Amino acid sequence: MSTSSPVPPAEGRAAPWWRRWADTPGTAVAVLAAGFLGLTEVAFSVPSGPDLSVGYAFLGLLLMLVALAAAAALVRRRRYPVAVCLGTAVAGALMPVGALAALIALPWVLATATLRIAAWCTAAVGAAVAASLVRDWRREGDAVMWATTDAATGERMYLTGGGYVAMGAAVLAVAVVVGLVRRFGDAARTARRAAAESEQQAATLRTQAAELRTELTRQEERELIAREMHDTVAHHLSLVSLHAAALEVTADDPGTDVTGSARSMRSSAHRALEEMRVLIASLRTAGDDSADRYAGPAPRLVDLVALIDEARSAGADIGATVFVDGGDDAPPALTRAVYRVVQESLTNAVKHAPGTRVEVDLRARPGDGVDVTVANGLVNDVPDGPGGAGLIGMRERAVALGGRFEAGPRDGRFVVRVHLPWPAATHP
């Protein structure tokens, strides 16, 4: 026979006060009923009369003590259901002390024990009930307990063998049904408690997940703001610095256009302030697209020409090769990333390698993707680390779009290479 995990006993749980008070009268009734039936069976089993021998008197006293002990054991039926059930069943099977105590303890076994133990206890109680009824069936005359006398005729009527079988099967079935109802009720309550605890844990996990998603969203927005601030404002400030450096060197030359250089510096500084103002203003607005909210509309690929010309006008030596096919249909996220990569690469070249020639090579086509290569000469030693915020921002943009990013010294030049996927347009 298969086994299953036992259901926790009822006494192991904290019952409400009204349940504990209700159990006390139930226990008292069970003890009194089992004791009364046990003493009754002892009385019908032991001969009585004035000629009763000492041996029978001692036997009767011993059986009454056993019957009372079996009844008293029901007080502990909740904590030790198997021991109480088997002990009372053995006593009822071997001695005429009744089987009611075993029948009362059996439901607690069925409610708490494994199926294997419950089956053995049921068989033991069945044997005790059968033994008690067989003893009564074999007695004669007034010694038969389950008999009645007709008040009119004085005739004594006895149960038949079938009646004893039916009565034994009925009381055993009642005990088994009560035990199974108790078992399934406890299992249902346990399942409801487990479901409630699981739901509470799930609600806690959902709350924590929502908090983590909110924090991740905030972190992503902070990183986006940092990239946009660095790529836009830093670029214009680098141009201002480049104009100032050129003006400082050539200010005394007769042919130097000081007014034009100052105008260019003012224009670059003004654009930097405008970019800063747009970013700060967008932080106070709401929207669904974080990129548009914090950085404004995405620049187009054709805007790269103005970006390169602006750097040239600031004095940078730039050689550019640009091939773009279908640039007007490029996704905004792609055009923004390409524009920022070229912008940051030019800013780094002007800042770290002033006076060197910068080569920009860009090739973009749907299906083939976008390949950007920016190379400039090396002036100072380049560290072996991961780079500054600009390189980190370019790497993050490439990874976010599923592309590749490489940057580092190569053959005496600092080379930035980026590949961004651009899926081919599909037509139905």
Side-chain angles (χ1 to χ4, degrees), residues 177-394:
V177 169
V178 171
L180 293 179
V181 169
R182 191 185 298 270
R183 182 186 189 94
F184 294 142
D186 289 344
R189 285 189 291 271
T190 301
R192 285 195 294 269
R193 284 196 302 272
E197 292 175 358
S198 299
E199 178 60 27
Q200 184 177 2
Q201 293 177 356
T204 303
L205 291 177
R206 286 194 296 268
T207 302
Q208 294 176 351
E211 294 175 354
L212 288 176
R213 284 194 298 269
T214 301
E215 183 60 29
L216 288 176
T217 301
R218 291 174 180 172
Q219 180 63 28
E220 291 175 356
E221 292 177 348
R222 287 194 292 266
E223 293 176 354
L224 176 60
I225 295 171
R227 286 197 300 268
E228 294 298 330
M229 291 283 290
H230 181 277
D231 293 347
T232 57
V233 178
H235 174 73
H236 294 300
L237 294 180
S238 296
L239 295 182
V240 171
S241 176
L242 185 62
H243 280 296
L247 184 61
E248 181 182 6
V249 173
T250 61
D252 296 334
D253 295 342
T256 300
D257 186 5
V258 177
T259 303
S261 298
R263 186 182 301 112
S264 298
M265 294 171 61
R266 183 182 64 83
S267 176
S268 296
H270 178 72
R271 282 194 295 272
L273 292 175
E274 285 297 323
E275 294 281 357
M276 179 83 74
R277 188 176 295 110
V278 169
L279 288 172
I280 294 175
S282 63
L283 292 176
R284 299 190 177 97
T285 61
D288 295 331
D289 190 348
S290 296
D292 291 342
R293 192 192 331 162
Y294 296 129
R300 300 169 300 169
L301 293 180
V302 296
D303 295 334
L304 290 172
V305 177
L307 176 66
I308 294 173
D309 290 341
E310 182 183 23
R312 282 198 183 112
S313 65
D317 184 9
I318 301 176
T321 303
V322 179
F323 293 98
V324 178
D325 184 7
D328 293 337
D329 299 328
L334 178 65
T335 60
R336 185 190 302 276
V338 173
Y339 188 90
R340 296 307 185 200
V341 166
V342 175
Q343 184 183 53
E344 177 60 24
S345 298
L346 293 178
T347 301
N348 288 343
V350 170
K351 178 180 179 182
H352 298 290
T356 63
R357 182 170 178 79
V358 183
E359 298 289 343
V360 178
D361 185 90
L362 187 147
R363 302 174 189 273
R365 183 178 182 181
D368 296 336
V370 179
D371 290 287
V372 180
T373 302
V374 180
N376 59 270
L378 292 175
V379 175
N380 300 318
D381 294 336
V382 179
D384 296 332
L391 297 181
I392 294 175
M394 288 189 285

